[in-house]
Amino acid sequence: MDTAGAAANTTPVGPCARIPAGQSDFVREILDRVGDKWTLLVIATLQHGVRRYSDLQNTVPGISQRMLTLTLRQLVQDGLITRTAYAEVPPRVEYALTPLGISLLDIVGSLIDWASTHHDEIRDHRTRFGQATTKPTS
Amino acid sequence: MDTAGAAANTTPVGPCARIPAGQSDFVREILDRVGDKWTLLVIATLQHGVRRYSDLQNTVPGISQRMLTLTLRQLVQDGLITRTAYAEVPPRVEYALTPLGISLLDIVGSLIDWASTHHDEIRDHRTRFGQATTKPTS
DNA sequence: CTGGATCCTTGGAGATACTG
DNA sequence: CAGTATCTCCAAGGATCCAG
């Protein structure tokens, strides 16, 4: 790595990385949902196929009924998953990813790739975080 | 849309979208940081170039000193931004994205693209969220 | 100007109990 | 089985004051 860190960001980023600072409201909506602890885990479970309520509760170990219900409802509301309720006498409800949810999953995959790649780098910085402050050789 | 939503996810996702359900710990670390309300806004401001503390406080309107300081410290700690402190008598501190931070910004750009594309779709689902429950023609 | 330290409030998350 | 309703609790976030 060169010294481009602080100095060279006069040439900041690529063409698609521009974040409209004022318009990032709905972007944060998405990130809030994806960044939510349980949402990602539920989606991760759902990518394996159709799952029932109790299946999800088993697969995502730490989740409470409340959080599972809320998370699922939110995802359904956003059109990322579907909820299919069978009016049987042992009630059965199945959840599955919609195409929209799958496409989001695909995007998140890129982020996961990035996280995997730079995970060590970040942890490295985090351990010796004192040297991040640049002394401008005054 | 066809009925592929709930039924067809036996063929779930693309090749890169696999989320290792147990390993998503550090992925969530990253998402927590990126998904944080202020982090994204600070990064968005920083993409324009070097900024001072007070600049950031002005550009990100709602942020408090506390949150700005904490967010910046976290980002520095993760190696996403650099902190340059000039030991002058009106103290001056400049923050800038590191190459690592820029690369993250690039990835986030993809997510922003996705959000922009499917924003309407999500809002549409959100308004008439009652019909998301599939009736299996019992 | 750039923060550190402190108090205080609020909403989100867990646990529990109950219903269709 | 699949939720809903209610309570409590804690920690994130804002406001304020103080310091280098």
Side-chain angles (χ1 to χ4, degrees):
Chain A
M1 182 191 302
D2 52 13
T3 61
N9 69 350
T10 323
T11 328
V13 286
C16 91
R18 290 266 159 200
I19 302 179
Q23 305 276 49
S24 61
D25 238 22
F26 69 96
V27 174
R28 281 216 61 270
E29 268 183 65
I30 307 293
L31 282 171
D32 260 1
R33 197 124 317 167
V34 177
D36 182 48
K37 180 178 181 181
W38 303 120
T39 302
L40 188 65
L41 294 176
V42 167
I43 290 183
T45 304
L46 248 41
Q47 79 182 328
H48 299 137
V50 179
R51 295 287 170 177
R52 302 178 51 173
Y53 186 87
S54 47
D55 287 340
L56 292 170
Q57 204 166 10
N58 291 335
T59 310
V60 184
I63 199 169
S64 60
Q65 295 172 356
R66 173 188 158 90
M67 281 303 103
L68 181 55
T69 301
L70 288 179
T71 302
L72 288 173
R73 202 189 320 200
Q74 244 184 351
L75 288 173
V76 167
Q77 183 177 308
D78 289 356
L80 297 177
I81 68 175
T82 56
R83 184 194 126 112
T84 310
Y86 296 89
E88 304 167 354
V89 55
R92 180 163 54 108
V93 180
E94 288 182 346
Y95 293 93
L97 286 176
T98 65
L100 183 61
I102 293 177
S103 75
L104 175 60
L105 196 62
D106 200 46
I107 292 293
V108 172
S110 310
L111 195 55
I112 292 176
D113 273 0
W114 186 92
S116 306
T117 304
H118 301 284
H119 178 224
D120 304 333
E121 203 169 343
I122 290 182
R123 282 195 59 127
D124 190 42
H125 269 278
R126 215 175 276 186
T127 40
R128 53 200 180 90
F129 62 96
Q131 60 117 61
T133 299
T134 306
K135 296 289 181 181
T137 66
S138 62
Chain B
M1 183 192 296
D2 52 12
T3 60
N9 68 350
T10 322
T11 327
V13 286
C16 92
R18 290 265 160 199
I19 301 179
Q23 305 276 49
S24 61
D25 238 22
F26 69 96
V27 174
R28 279 216 63 268
E29 267 184 66
I30 307 293
L31 282 171
D32 261 0
R33 197 123 316 167
V34 177
D36 182 48
K37 179 177 181 180
W38 303 121
T39 301
L40 188 65
L41 294 175
V42 167
I43 290 182
T45 304
L46 248 41
Q47 76 181 330
H48 299 137
V50 180
R51 295 288 171 177
R52 300 180 51 177
Y53 186 87
S54 47
D55 287 340
L56 292 169
Q57 205 165 12
N58 290 336
T59 310
V60 183
I63 200 170
S64 61
Q65 295 171 356
R66 175 187 158 88
M67 280 302 102
L68 180 55
T69 301
L70 288 179
T71 301
L72 288 173
R73 201 187 324 195
Q74 243 184 353
L75 288 174
V76 168
Q77 185 177 307
D78 289 357
L80 296 177
I81 68 174
T82 57
R83 184 194 127 110
T84 309
Y86 296 88
E88 304 169 353
V89 55
R92 181 163 54 106
V93 179
E94 289 183 343
Y95 294 92
L97 285 176
T98 65
L100 183 61
I102 293 176
S103 74
L104 175 60
L105 196 63
D106 199 47
I107 292 293
V108 172
S110 310
L111 196 54
I112 293 176
D113 273 359
W114 186 91
S116 305
T117 305
H118 301 285
H119 178 224
D120 304 332
E121 202 169 344
I122 289 181
R123 284 195 57 126
D124 189 41
H125 270 276
R126 218 175 274 186
T127 38
R128 56 200 178 88
F129 62 96
Q131 59 115 64
T133 298
T134 307
K135 296 289 182 181
T137 65
S138 58

